[in-house]
Amino acid sequence: MVKSFANAARRALEAGFQVIEIHSAHGYLLHEFLSPISNKRTDSYGGSLENRCRLLCEVVTAVRGIWPAGYPLYVRISATDWIEGGWDVDQSVELAKKIGPLGVDLIDCSSGGIAPGAKIPIKAGYQVPFAREIRYETKIMTGAVGLITSANQADTILREENADIVLLAREFLRQPYWPLQTARDLGFAVPWPVQYLRAAPDGTPTREPIRPPEGMDALAGHDANLK
């Protein structure tokens, strides 16, 4: 199974991706190993925090063995299960301390999803404190997620150093060009693809191609060869 994650990383690399994320949140397999609510194993993958973190550490090591050092590797976690006796932010801090040295560049801090009955205080930015605590306790970069919908809200999170980046999902379903509108609202002239410049604000610069890190030139423009 660990090998399957490594193979997926290899396919992503061959397809031209330059950032990948290991999903270890929301009740998916790796989260099931982390949380004491779901992990009832009695072998070396269950019981203690060290054991429950073991599988994710092995997956990170295997993926980083494939994924180039110059390309970011994120890990998405549920920072808390929101259930008494479940996974919590203190365990998340300890997990981050384990996987950071293995080559994880950023912790994507979500929450919940392991079991019904969780009482989640959903409101704007309700998961941002997790990103802040993990960031300050471990010095590892974090991403803030969850009901972040406005330019000022995202800007404040970054200016107050609560996270290193803001990650969005549903807001892109509502507004696919949210970053462009946000840049305009905050007064930043971000580059646009040349094909769209006729619709851009005056003075918008042309977007330059993203260059691969040194040593990865062979992958630029490379057609995926998924055998």
Side-chain angles (χ1 to χ4, degrees), residues 75 121 143 224:
V75 171

Side-chain angles (χ1 to χ4, degrees), residues 72-84:
L73 172 61
Y74 298 177
V75 171
R76 185 173 180 84
I77 67 169
S78 284
T80 179
D81 289 336
W82 298 107
I83 297 176
E84 185 71 27

Side-chain angles (χ1 to χ4, degrees), residues 1 9 32 41 48 60 68 72 75 85 100 103 130 133 149 173 186 201 222:
M1 190 269 290
E32 288 182 334
R41 300 175 71 103
S48 68
V60 168
V75 171
F130 304 139
E133 182 164 353
T149 60
L173 299 178
L186 295 176
H222 179 265

